[in-house]
Amino acid sequence: MWSRRQGRLRPTVWSAGVYGGSEPRVLGCALRKARREQQLVSKRLLRDDAPEEAGEGCVAAILGETEVQQFLRQAQQGTEEKEREGALVSLRRGLQHPETQQTFIRLEGSMRTLVGLLTSNQALLQLEAARCLHELSHSEQSTVAEACLPATSYLLTYLSGHSSDFIELCLYTLGNLIVESEAVRRQLLPQGIVPALAACIQSPHVAVLEALGYALSQLLQAEEAPEKIIPSILASTLPQHMLQMLQPGPKLNPGVAVEFAWCLHYIICSQVSNPLLIGHGALSTLGLLLLDLAGAVQKTEDAGLELLACPVLRCLSNLLTEAAVETVGGQMQLRDERVVAALFILLQFFFQKQPSLLPEGLWLLNNLTANSPSFCTSLLSLDLIEPLLQLLPVSNVVSVMVLTVLCNIAEKGPAYCQRLWPGPLLPALLHTLAFSDTEVVGQSLELLHLLFLYQPEAVQVFLQQSGLQALERHQEEAQLQDRVYALQQTALQG
Amino acid sequence: MQLPPALCARLAAGPGAAEPLPVERDPAAGAAPFHFVARPVRFPREHQFFEDGDVQRHLYLQDVIMQVADVPEKPRVPAFACQVAGCCQVFDALDDYEHHYHTLHGNVCSFCKRAFPSGHLLDAHILEWHDSLFQILSERQDMYQCLVEGCTEKFKTSRDRKDHMVRMHLYPADFRFDKPKKSRSPASAEAPGDSGERSEGEAMEICSEPVAASPAPAGERRICRHRIPSTICFGQGAARGFKSNKKKTKQC
């Protein structure tokens, strides 16, 4: 059976043609490039880490045609069960190599034999055959994935069985095949993968659920997903179950939650039918999960929570743009100012551990505050302006977003601006005016305008602190000059 | 980034919202050349904004960064044998036994001993092969249900059903769990596998009494059993089909 030790998911790199273990930074560059080319494909490989038996070679060799045939024949026709199993084990090891995979698929009748073994009543043979398929599923070649097509109806059938290890294996195999080939997806949909997953998601086994989430996330990332896949997923019972997996509490499993949070993200950002999800309580569930995450972040030094935080933030942010939020009482749950507290705790966590996720957190903050006097007030009453300003130096993108949130607050009128001044805001603005990035400066100008409008006393202080000189620096810049001029006028008249 | 000390306490306290300050906008706020408007932003799937987070996600999938969940070792136990009569498999790990049990003994037809991968397929099999009421009804109405989970189509014959599964669901024509019922004489020793395919070591009895297909209501000697024979017990007091997930099979 599968070794369930920590290291069972072996780090292999499959996208952008990079092979072998690399440093995370280098790997990150390769993945970034792949994403830009919209070819970001990652697979999961379950591989038994158990040490080899004595007498067997430790290094898997590439198998030639004769050897593949021989192993298949032994597996199919051998007399001793151990012998048949052993033959499949040897085949499976050979299939770790792309060359063997190619040899296998080119051999006539090989897949037919393997499927026959997969569907045999010999439990351990069945398992080994499934593992061989799993190795094949990891290939980067869509021809190999397509060669596995005869097996898919059986993989789906076995999802409604009861052997959790086997189901897990089938799910990871399916997930890998799904991501590799559109032909596979075109077959799996009519074969009933959505109802099969909907039935399987009721499994009590955590490993099965995590595997299911993985397979589903691969299905949802398909290019044709918004038109061809997501509608039937939304019509099934899957959304309700997914949300259940995300409910905070003692039953929440982080590995499972991560997968389903990403599934939800792919569904929501495709904008097929988000009001339906809101109707299922998505906002409420995700909001509570956010609170839970903030609590967890405070308690433990463990990294990995950002893997769950990221999709949750994205889902919430995108859902908040739906008109349905206003009408379906979603507003109710999200008037809870604990959400703001939780978000800042997460922002601090990102600041320390994963600054690249700060924009995502600030995105949610923008969407929370844009149309909500209540949340803007919370930011003021909870003394969160100063922490927010502390994020300004991180990057230009972050600066713009921080300034946008501040504008969200300031634009609500004098009552709000009074609470923004005096304080660290004006010095911070004078500082950002010194940036060279046009967008940062532009947003600073917008904020200044609002501040001057609703809190005219600020003008004097601005002038005293060499504000005019700060403005002058940008008066030649095309995108900024009109606003610079307007502010100069206001300042001089004030 | 310093957070105010009261913030954690706020998180731990109950839900609530600040009484919002009064909103009072001046039209000059949005007057040209200024153009700020507070609005929620949405990002579609492929937006570049998601790049960093997506890369993190894929690093995770490729296991370069730390796994979220802990994975326990597979427990080993002293060797034990399968309890089912006639089965002599031995195991030293509960996971192996679980798979063996479910594959060979889990969804087994009490009439002909065929094993099925799921309760769903077993139910269909019993209905179509061993239930003469089904035979009678199928003369008058479409009874053969599509085997694909979620599809509610029914058909007059198993042939029609197969055609449907091949055409609509892209199933293989030789799908192993949809073999047409063959008529057998008691003398036939045909293995419950498929013709041309080697029976995979099944040493199981075939139901040798012919299943009556003719609708002879009077004096029908064919026992029409309840679909879920209550006498079935695999030595575990188990209900057929393991429909309830609460039933643990790991103990033996």
Side-chain angles (χ1 to χ4, degrees), chain A residues 2 66 85 109 111 176 256 264 273 321-322 331-332 407 453:
Chain A
W2 296 110
T66 329
E85 230 183 287
M111 187 53 70
N176 291 344
V256 172
L264 259 184
S273 180
T321 66
E322 298 289 335
Q331 269 289 24
M332 229 19 175
C407 284
L453 182 63

Side-chain angles (χ1 to χ4, degrees), chain A residues 30-47:
Chain A
L31 291 175
R32 219 172 281 281
K33 176 170 181 292
R35 191 194 183 276
R36 273 179 223 143
E37 293 164 8
Q38 303 201 1
Q39 284 172 33
L40 190 52
V41 166
S42 290
K43 296 186 178 178
R44 273 198 147 165
L45 178 65
L46 298 172
R47 200 175 271 161

